[in-house]
């Protein structure tokens, strides 16, 4: 076989814990090889070994048939290996070109040559259809475009073996499709790709082979065209996974969240919410569907007190919380699973135990008279670890050391165990494997059935259709319509997400079905 990468019997341990236990992975030239496993299975650790961020404790690595010691990322770069990390390594107030050349700045007479570098960036961008402006500032471009900048960084340094670590975790469905097409174009140009992802549809769409690891051990490698999502899910989790969420009918009662004519501007004074109205009652899950950038972030931040409301009102349990401080709003009965777990969900250099207490540390029994009760805090963390299957070496471990999916489960456990009246779940399954997604969906439905109100914000159409009792569709800062998921289709939802009213969307879908072209609704 013409392997460009061979990781043979590779092990990596931390203390007595084996993150990778004698794993073999072989990548052929010109293929997309998916690496699949549960949260905390050891996927990112294995790729960090290949990229030189960790040193293996056993096994060997061959690049193009030669045994190598990849002692640091510079060695990996010299061998033509580039890594696109799950959390972007970009400086927001620098331009695309400045980020790409950072650390290896070309100079002419002692002066950094930005013009020539930008020209080279533009050439590579055109070659692979990345469509990136070399002079744009990172803070001014979308998340999807930032992802392309990370890809450009690896290509600029001459990589022909690319590692993608959960590359679609923060992207919209449209950006995901564009990224998968870019990957296909890269391998058509002779590159080879290792793709870490939890999303089985992406694996079936773009990969040639799949290597599955479970709890640090290699389960096997299969040819993608000879398998299916159900089989892959079983290999990954070790049991059958239910893709359809089972739930009884909702029984909504009194209103918990009421939003009236809400208007919010961004920091530049541009209107992001434009007279939005919304209601969520006890015993129901209201899903917010929409393309990213249509006001979802501003809606969440307005409810939770993280941004100022220009006009309109927000009521929680009939109490006006408009423009109150976040802690005051939280005390009215809100649980918040934020869309950015690092920015708003965790303090990464705090332990799992301390992070489990972030919203409640000033309440008994976690503290008394201003003195922290560390025994109670550790016990609370232990409950979350056990109940939510947070894969960690213990409550003392730093949150930074957890995989992205286990960080997410820690946050979800913390917020639900606070027993809030209103649970705001923003992208709650982002970065989670299918088994964990199934688990979290059940937990959201349990909250509903306990008489809690749940506001679900997600970019995944199957998730919003599967879990919600009603779906409110956002477009350009307002709600364009509310639908029952049992009485609509993904095609109709897609049209509403593009700005059509409910009635117009339904008529267009019906007309397309009559023409026998329901997959090409304009």
């Amino acid at each position: 076989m013409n392997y460009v990468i061979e990781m043979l019997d590779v092990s990596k341990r931390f203390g007595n814990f084996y993150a990778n236990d004698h794993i073999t992975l072989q990548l052929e030239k010109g293929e997309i090889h998916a690496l699949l496993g549960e949260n905390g299975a050891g996927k990112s650790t294995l790729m960090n070994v290949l990229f030189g961020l960790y040193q293996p404790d056993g096994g060997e690595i061959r690049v193009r048939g030669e045994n190598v010691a990849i002692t640091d990322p510079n060695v990996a770069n010299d061998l033509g290996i580039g890594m696109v990390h799950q959390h972007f390594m970009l400086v927001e107030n620098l331009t695309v070109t400045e980020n790409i050349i950072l650390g290896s700045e070309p100079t002419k007479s002692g002066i950094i040559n930005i013009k020539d570098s930008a020209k080279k960036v533009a050439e590579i961008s055109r070659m692979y259809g990345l469509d990136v402006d070399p002079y744009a500032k990172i803070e001014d471009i979308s998340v999807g475009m930032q992802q392309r900048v990370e890809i450009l960084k690896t290509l600029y340094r001459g990589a022909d073996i690319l590692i993608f670590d959960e590359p679609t975790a923060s992207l919209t469905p449209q950006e995901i499709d564009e990224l998968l097409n870019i990957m296909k174009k890269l391998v058509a140009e002779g590159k080879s790709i290792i793709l870490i992802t939890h999303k089985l549809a992406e694996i079936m769409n773009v990969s040639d082979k799949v290597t599955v690891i479970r709890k640090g051990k290699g389960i096997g490698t299969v040819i993608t065209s000879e398998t299916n999502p159900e089989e892959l899910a079983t290999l990954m989790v070790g049991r059958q996974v239910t893709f359809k969420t089972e739930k009884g009918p909702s029984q909504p009662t009194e209103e918990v969240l009421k939003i009236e004519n809400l208007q919010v501007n961004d920091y530049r004074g541009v209107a992001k919410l434009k007279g939005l109205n919304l209601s969520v009652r006890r015993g129901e899950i209201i899903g917010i569907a929409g393309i990213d950038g249509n006001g979802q972030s501003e809606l969440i931040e307005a409810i939770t007190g993280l941004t100022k409301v220009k006009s309109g009102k927000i009521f929680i349990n009939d109490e006006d919380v408009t423009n109150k401080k976040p802690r005051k709003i939280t005390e009215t009965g809100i649980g918040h699973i934020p869309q950015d777990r690092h920015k708003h969900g965790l303090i990464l250099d705090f332990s799992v135990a301390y992070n489990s207490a972030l919203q409640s540390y000033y309440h008994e029994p976690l503290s008394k008279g201003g003195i922290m009760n560390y025994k109670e805090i550790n016990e609370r963390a232990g409950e979350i670890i056990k109940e939510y299957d947070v894969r960690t070496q213990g409550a003392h471990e730093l949150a930074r050391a957890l995989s992205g999916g286990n960080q997410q489960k820690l946050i979800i456990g913390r917020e639900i165990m606070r027993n809030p009246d209103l649970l705001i779940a923003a992208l709650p399954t982002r970065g989670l494997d299918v088994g964990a997604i199934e688990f979290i969906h059940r937990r959201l439905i349990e909250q509903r059935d306990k008489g809690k109100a749940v506001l679900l914000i997600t970019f995944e159409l199957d998730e919003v259709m599967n879990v919600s009792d009603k779906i409110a569709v956002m477009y350009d800062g307002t709600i364009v319509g509310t639908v029952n998921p049992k009485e609509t289709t993904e095609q109709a939802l897609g049209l509403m997400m593009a700005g059509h009213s409910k009635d117009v969307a339904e008529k267009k879908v019906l007309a397309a079905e009559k023409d026998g072209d329901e997959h090409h609704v304009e």
Side-chain angles (χ1 to χ4, degrees):
M1 283 289 186
N2 186 21
Y3 295 123
V4 290
I5 292 290
E6 293 177 89
M7 303 185 77
L8 304 174
D9 217 26
V10 169
S11 294
K12 176 61 186 175
R13 67 177 185 270
F14 299 94
N16 294 323
F17 171 71
Y18 271 88
N20 298 144
D21 190 355
H22 299 88
I23 295 176
T24 292
L25 172 70
Q26 295 169 305
L27 173 69
E28 291 184 52
K29 180 175 174 58
E31 79 169 352
I32 299 177
H33 195 122
L35 184 58
L36 178 65
E38 290 182 277
N39 301 121
K43 306 180 300 296
S44 294
T45 300
L46 187 66
M47 290 302 97
N48 285 333
V49 168
L50 180 59
F51 193 57
L53 291 168
Y54 294 148
Q55 297 307 301
D57 295 304
E60 60 181 291
I61 299 173
R62 297 176 188 166
V63 177
R64 301 177 193 88
E66 299 290 330
N67 279 359
V68 295
I70 306 177
T71 52
D72 60 54
N74 289 326
V75 174
N77 287 330
D78 291 342
L79 291 167
I81 301 171
M83 187 165 181
V84 179
H85 298 273
Q86 180 177 354
H87 299 288
F88 304 152
M89 308 291 184
L90 299 172
V91 182
E92 290 195 348
N93 61 349
L94 296 183
T95 67
V96 167
T97 301
E98 288 166 344
N99 269 277
I100 288 171
I101 65 174
L102 194 61
S104 57
E105 297 87 345
T107 59
K108 184 181 287 185
S109 302
I111 299 171
I112 296 175
N113 192 337
I114 292 290
K115 187 176 179 181
D116 285 355
S117 298
K119 185 178 178 182
K120 182 179 176 182
V121 167
E123 287 172 358
I124 297 171
S125 177
R126 281 194 299 272
M127 184 185 303
Y128 295 102
L130 296 171
D131 193 30
V132 174
D133 177 1
Y135 291 105
K137 279 196 172 183
I138 298 299
E139 62 190 359
D140 294 329
I141 61 179
S142 69
V143 173
M145 198 58 70
Q146 290 178 36
Q147 178 75 266
R148 296 183 185 200
V149 176
E150 289 283 15
I151 297 169
L152 265 173
K153 277 169 64 177
T154 67
L155 297 174
Y156 185 91
R157 287 166 168 75
D160 55 13
I161 299 164
L162 284 79
I163 304 165
F164 286 84
D165 188 358
E166 299 285 356
T168 64
S170 304
L171 304 186
T172 65
Q174 291 80 5
E175 289 170 333
I176 290 171
D177 288 342
E178 290 168 1
L179 178 60
L180 296 182
N181 286 330
I182 288 168
M183 287 186 188
K184 291 174 183 176
K185 191 172 290 186
L186 287 167
V187 295
E189 295 285 343
K191 308 296 183 185
S192 306
I193 293 175
I194 299 175
L195 169 63
I196 301 175
T197 180
H198 295 113
K199 298 183 179 180
L200 298 177
E202 292 173 11
I203 287 175
M204 298 304 298
N205 180 331
V206 79
S207 73
D208 300 295
K209 290 180 186 170
V210 186
T211 291
V212 182
I213 60 177
R214 188 194 312 151
K215 295 183 179 178
K217 294 180 180 292
I219 301 301
T221 297
V222 296
I223 297 170
T224 308
S225 60
E226 297 176 0
T227 188
N228 57 63
E230 290 76 17
E231 182 183 7
L232 288 175
T234 301
L235 286 171
M236 174 173 63
V237 181
R239 61 175 175 81
Q240 280 195 318
V241 176
T242 303
F243 288 91
K244 180 70 176 175
T245 304
E246 299 295 333
K247 68 179 192 290
S250 63
Q251 298 181 5
T253 57
E254 66 267 21
E255 197 172 48
V256 175
L257 173 67
K258 183 179 182 181
I259 297 176
E260 297 178 341
N261 198 31
L262 193 66
Q263 297 190 48
V264 172
N265 293 349
D266 67 10
Y267 69 96
R268 295 168 294 189
V270 177
K272 290 296 184 178
L273 296 181
K274 305 171 182 178
L276 182 141
N277 295 285
L278 184 67
S279 171
V280 187
R281 295 181 290 174
R282 292 184 180 276
E284 72 177 357
I285 299 174
I286 299 295
I288 299 289
I291 298 168
D292 190 20
N294 278 277
Q296 295 96 323
S297 297
E298 289 76 14
L299 173 62
I300 298 163
E301 291 176 1
I303 297 170
T304 55
L306 296 175
T307 195
K308 288 293 182 184
V309 171
K310 182 182 179 184
S311 63
K313 295 288 185 181
I314 302 171
F315 297 91
I316 297 172
N317 290 325
D318 293 326
E319 180 181 343
D320 186 354
V321 299
T322 313
N323 285 331
K324 287 191 175 180
K325 292 183 178 179
R327 179 179 285 190
K328 291 286 186 184
I329 296 173
T330 299
E331 294 289 350
T332 63
I334 280 187
H336 178 206
I337 301 165
Q339 58 185 336
D340 188 332
R341 54 180 167 256
H342 286 180
K343 188 174 182 180
H344 293 133
L346 298 167
I347 300 176
L348 293 174
D349 290 318
F350 277 17
S351 68
V352 168
Y354 286 1
N355 273 284
S356 73
L358 282 181
Q359 296 279 50
S360 313
Y361 67 89
Y362 52 91
H363 284 308
E364 292 188 19
L366 302 186
S367 66
K368 188 173 183 178
I371 299 174
M372 306 277 277
N373 187 331
Y374 296 108
K375 181 174 180 290
E376 289 286 347
I377 290 171
N378 284 323
E379 287 181 0
R380 170 74 60 86
E383 288 178 32
I384 294 172
I385 290 168
K386 182 178 179 181
E387 189 75 14
Y388 289 83
D389 190 28
V390 180
R391 306 282 173 86
T392 173
Q393 296 183 58
H396 63 278
E397 187 171 18
L398 295 184
R400 182 181 300 281
L402 271 58
S403 70
N406 282 297
Q407 291 173 351
Q408 188 78 346
K409 288 192 282 187
L410 172 60
I411 294 168
I412 291 168
R414 178 186 70 205
E415 296 305 304
I416 290 180
M417 288 189 77
R418 290 180 50 246
N419 197 32
D421 292 328
L422 170 67
L423 179 63
I424 300 172
L427 317 186
T429 60
R430 189 188 75 176
L432 297 186
D433 60 70
V434 288
I437 290 171
E438 177 191 50
F439 178 83
I440 296 306
H441 286 173
R442 285 204 308 266
R443 289 304 176 119
L444 295 179
I445 291 164
E446 280 177 13
Q447 289 299 295
R448 180 202 75 165
D449 293 344
K450 288 178 180 177
K452 308 298 183 180
V454 179
L455 180 62
L456 169 66
I457 298 94
T458 178
F459 303 135
E460 306 287 346
L461 279 182
D462 58 345
E463 181 169 60
V464 79
M465 293 279 283
N466 213 1
V467 180
S468 307
D469 298 306
K470 292 179 183 174
I471 302 171
V473 183
M474 281 191 74
Y475 175 75
D476 194 25
T478 190
I479 303 292
V480 297
T482 301
V483 297
N484 185 327
K486 294 180 179 178
E487 299 170 358
T488 191
T489 64
E490 289 193 4
Q491 288 84 5
L493 269 184
L495 287 167
M496 292 177 69
M497 288 162 61
H500 293 288
S501 69
K502 176 184 174 183
D503 290 342
V504 170
E506 289 174 349
K507 286 176 182 177
K508 281 180 172 286
V509 171
L510 283 172
E513 287 175 350
K514 286 179 181 178
D515 292 339
D517 194 24
E518 66 269 22
H519 297 296
H520 294 84
V521 182
E522 293 183 358

